[in-house]
Amino acid sequence: MIRMHTWMMKRKPTTLETFRAFYDGCTFAPDMVFYDCCVEHDIDYSTGTVNRAEADRKLRVCIKANGYPILCWVYWLGVRLFGWISYYFGDSVQSRKEYKLLVDDNKSDIM
C-alpha cells in the first residue's frame, strides 16, 4: 500500500521533530510490515546523515530483520537501480539543504 497523500507532498518539515512525519514510506512499492524501514530510508536520503549506499544497505538489513530475507534483496536492488534519481535529482537534494539549516539553527539555540 502506497501511503502518499497530497498534503504530504506539499508540506515541508519545519523542525527536526516534524522532519520524520514528512515521508511516505516505500514509494511506488508495497509497505507491508516494514513501513518504518522505508521511512528511515527516506530520512537517510533526505538528511544526508549517511551516504546513499549505506542508506540502501540499512533498508535491506531492516527488511530482512522484519522477516523478509528474500524480498529485502528485491527492494535493495530497486533502490540501487532507481534510487539515484531521487537522491541526486529529486526532492532529497532540497531536503538535505533544509535539514542542514534546521540542524544549524538548533545548534545556535543550544550554544
Side-chain angles (χ1 to χ4, degrees):
M1 177 171 135
I2 299 174
R3 300 176 188 209
M4 186 178 301
H5 304 285
T6 306
W7 64 270
M8 291 178 87
M9 296 298 291
K10 294 178 181 172
R11 189 170 67 98
K12 293 287 183 189
T14 55
T15 66
L16 292 175
E17 291 77 28
T18 60
F19 207 82
R20 180 174 172 60
F22 179 68
Y23 302 98
D24 67 340
C26 303
T27 310
F28 306 119
D31 292 327
M32 301 175 70
V33 299
F34 44 82
Y35 171 77
D36 289 339
C37 299
C38 296
V39 169
E40 288 302 318
H41 184 255
D42 288 351
I43 290 171
D44 286 343
Y45 266 36
S46 296
T47 60
T49 53
V50 297
N51 65 37
R52 183 174 161 248
E54 178 63 14
D56 296 348
R57 186 198 67 78
K58 286 173 55 179
L59 174 67
R60 179 180 50 80
V61 168
C62 186
I63 292 173
K64 184 177 180 180
N66 276 279
Y68 294 90
I70 296 171
L71 192 58
C72 72
W73 289 103
V74 174
Y75 276 65
W76 176 82
L77 183 60
V79 295
R80 292 310 297 160
L81 289 175
F82 303 109
W84 65 272
I85 297 167
S86 173
Y87 191 82
Y88 294 111
F89 301 107
D91 288 340
S92 294
V93 176
Q94 183 62 32
S95 292
R96 283 192 294 275
K97 292 176 185 174
E98 291 169 0
Y99 180 77
K100 184 178 179 339
L101 290 174
L102 288 173
V103 169
D104 290 347
D105 286 348
N106 282 344
K107 283 181 184 174
S108 64
D109 289 343
I110 294 171
M111 296 177 155

